Amino acid sequence: MLLDAGHEVVVLDDLRTGHRVAIAPEAVHVEASLHDVARVLTPEAGFDAVLHFAALIAAGESMTRPELYWHTNTVGSLALIDAVRAARVPKLIFSSTAAVYGDPTEVPIPETAVKAPTNTYGATKLAVDMALTSEAVAHGLAAVSLRYFNVAGAHLDGDVALGERHDPESHLIPIALEVAAGVREKLQLFGDDYPTPDGTCVRDYIHVADLARAHLLALDAATGGQHRIYNLGNGNGFSNRQVADVVREVTGRPVPVEVAPRRDGDPAELVASSALARAELGWVPRKPTLHDMVADAWAFYQAHRLARP
């Protein structure tokens, strides 16, 4: 989308969890750690904005390996902020997360809600949000944090199909699709005794294409000396059991379910209020239904399986 909008794009990714095929051929790829970004983000390079997506994202793992998450997500981000300041880059768009709210005190969740992360992942992201606020006030940075709720779907455009490919897979929809495809025996649902309608966790899902468009809108809206924060979700919650039902509907295949113990740090319900993003960015989801997201993810999954040797 950045390339289509006329931008020159440099992608810094050490490919620890990423995939080279996901980088557009027209973009320059620098294979390096986030901690070494100052070697690329120099005053002479002339960058006019940075979009910062690099992070570890598994909430469960963050509780068992917290040091890894603090070093990557927070220390790495501080290295990036230092490089941005030294290179005099005016704008930074940051991938934040709904996990900063923990178990929310109000649903749908506004940006003003209490921030009380229940896992280390959310805490590392909140620390960066706070650092960006300080940077904007002290040094005039135009910063925007986009707090993602659960991202789903895939990008499908002609011969290009880009979707979720975690190793090991940790996200509910692609795992459920693996069960539907017969790659996994069953879908584990972690806990069925939450204070939700069917006892399983409730999450707000957003299509990855809608999420991507929000970043371009944020680039236009970023204002010097301000740190703006926006939730990105559809405002509708779906339980884990409901997700399994939609996967069955889309694929036409069985998805056996097994209830497993709760995972540490999993909030019961996370549903966004995206009213601020709609009002200030003019952002409106174009693919708001869970059916659309699962259908695109299923199309990507099938294409990816056929493409593998």
Side-chain angles (χ1 to χ4, degrees):
M1 288 184 182
L2 287 167
L3 290 163
D4 289 345
H7 295 278
E8 296 178 44
V9 178
V10 176
V11 177
L12 186 140
D13 192 335
D14 63 8
L15 300 180
R16 186 184 350 173
T17 57
H19 302 273
R20 196 178 302 274
V21 70
I23 301 171
E26 301 88 348
V28 175
H29 176 215
V30 177
E31 190 169 345
S33 166
L34 176 62
H35 298 77
D36 298 324
V37 67
R39 290 190 296 149
V40 179
L41 197 66
T42 63
E44 298 76 27
F47 288 100
D48 56 6
V50 169
L51 292 89
H52 175 26
F53 306 95
L56 297 175
I57 61 171
E61 182 187 50
S62 78
M63 299 299 287
T64 58
R65 303 183 68 191
E67 66 286 351
L68 181 62
Y69 278 67
W70 284 110
H71 180 70
T72 301
N73 294 0
T74 305
V75 177
S77 294
L78 292 177
L80 175 62
I81 293 170
D82 285 345
V84 163
R85 186 188 321 111
R88 299 185 296 277
V89 178
K91 297 182 179 183
L92 193 156
I93 313 301
F94 174 57
S95 302
S96 188
T97 172
V100 301
Y101 299 112
D103 281 311
T105 56
E106 50 188 315
V107 177
I109 307 167
E111 290 82 357
T112 54
V114 173
K115 268 64 76 178
T118 56
N119 54 60
T120 303
Y121 164 64
T124 63
K125 288 288 197 170
L126 180 58
V128 180
D129 277 342
M130 296 171 71
L132 287 174
T133 298
S134 299
E135 192 72 18
V137 171
H139 300 293
L141 180 67
V144 180
S145 288
L146 299 176
R147 287 185 175 149
Y148 303 1
F149 282 63
N150 283 40
V151 186
H155 170 72
L156 306 169
D157 183 12
D159 294 333
V160 179
L162 301 172
E164 295 187 80
R165 293 169 56 190
H166 305 114
D167 184 18
E169 186 54 69
S170 58
H171 288 184
L172 179 63
I173 290 176
I175 289 175
L177 293 176
E178 289 182 354
V179 176
V183 174
R184 293 181 187 242
E185 181 181 347
K186 57 200 171 187
L187 175 65
Q188 282 193 319
L189 302 183
F190 295 99
D192 65 349
D193 58 349
Y194 286 94
T196 60
D198 66 17
T200 64
C201 290
V202 171
R203 296 291 183 265
D204 188 343
Y205 290 87
I206 176 176
H207 196 286
V208 64
D210 288 326
L211 183 80
R213 283 192 303 104
H215 289 75
L216 273 70
L217 295 170
L219 276 175
D220 290 338
T223 303
Q226 295 183 20
H227 178 208
R228 300 187 182 190
I229 298 174
Y230 300 102
N231 290 338
L232 294 181
N234 281 307
N236 298 310
F238 295 90
S239 74
N240 290 346
R241 287 193 184 276
Q242 287 176 309
V243 170
D245 288 342
V246 173
V247 170
R248 295 184 188 104
E249 176 186 338
V250 168
T251 64
R253 301 183 182 187
V255 180
V257 165
E258 175 186 75
V259 176
R262 289 187 182 194
R263 296 182 299 191
D264 288 342
D266 265 353
E269 186 173 9
L270 289 174
V271 178
S273 168
S274 295
L276 193 63
R278 293 170 187 259
E280 294 191 2
L281 299 180
W283 176 77
V284 178
R286 295 177 183 173
K287 288 195 170 186
T289 73
L290 187 60
H291 188 281
D292 284 341
M293 297 178 218
V294 172
D296 284 353
W298 179 235
F300 165 75
Y301 181 81
Q302 292 177 303
H304 176 58
R305 287 191 70 205
L306 292 173
R308 283 185 297 186

